[in-house]
Amino acid sequence: MNAVAVRPVAEIASYHAHIYFEADSERSQALALRAAIADRFAVRLGTVWDRPVGPHSRAMYQVAFETGLFASFVPWLMLNAGGLSVLIHPNTRNMRRDHLDDGMWIGTPLALDGEILPEDGGAEEAGAPNTAPTLAP
Ligand code: ZN
């Protein structure tokens, strides 16, 4: 067996979940999911974009979260995404690879314009949570 270049999990500084929605038909569902997340998880919720932005081909918002939340937050999203497309990707030092190669999808995968993403940069930390959870997941 050939040796493979094993990448340590320590490369991952944080994760993003990008929650996509059709702006004309799924916006209220996406915002209800956003509120349910805020009620249950100490994460950093990003701006709600009603149009494609960056590499993303559909309206969406970002949820930044610490690596320690993966095992509780991602399964919760699996059960509660409600048919919305969700991209979960690690944040390492290569944003293009993070989004295009190393992510995972809940629901239907969507196209990404990865050409605009840098292949070298800093590994983004999750940032301070801006939610105040009061409910158990
Ligand atoms: Zn992201």
Side-chain angles (χ1 to χ4, degrees):
M1 193 173 112
N2 292 326
V4 294
V6 174
R7 297 169 60 195
V9 172
E11 277 186 41
I12 301 173
S14 67
Y15 293 94
H16 286 169
H18 292 276
I19 297 173
Y20 297 88
F21 58 94
E22 294 281 12
D24 56 353
S25 61
E26 295 175 330
R27 190 176 198 277
S28 61
Q29 179 191 350
L31 293 189
L33 178 61
R34 181 182 167 91
I37 292 167
D39 284 342
R40 289 165 178 81
F41 296 96
V43 296
R44 185 155 192 88
L45 291 171
T47 302
V48 178
W49 296 97
D50 286 312
R51 57 178 170 77
V53 63
H56 307 288
S57 60
R58 185 176 290 183
M60 66 93 204
Y61 57 87
Q62 169 187 295
V63 185
F65 59 101
E66 302 281 358
T67 57
L69 273 183
F70 188 97
S72 56
F73 181 48
V74 174
W76 187 91
L77 275 178
M78 289 173 175
L79 300 183
N80 292 287
L84 298 176
S85 291
V86 179
L87 169 65
I88 295 158
H89 70 77
N91 290 311
T92 71
R93 299 186 63 82
N94 186 321
M95 286 183 70
R96 189 179 301 176
R97 186 172 60 187
D98 290 345
H99 286 78
L100 298 185
D101 300 331
D102 296 344
M104 53 182 275
W105 289 86
I106 298 169
T108 305
L110 302 174
L112 291 166
D113 178 12
E115 292 304 308
I116 68 170
L117 295 170
E119 288 201 87
D120 188 30
E124 193 178 323
E125 302 288 339
N130 60 3
T131 59
T134 58
L135 301 177

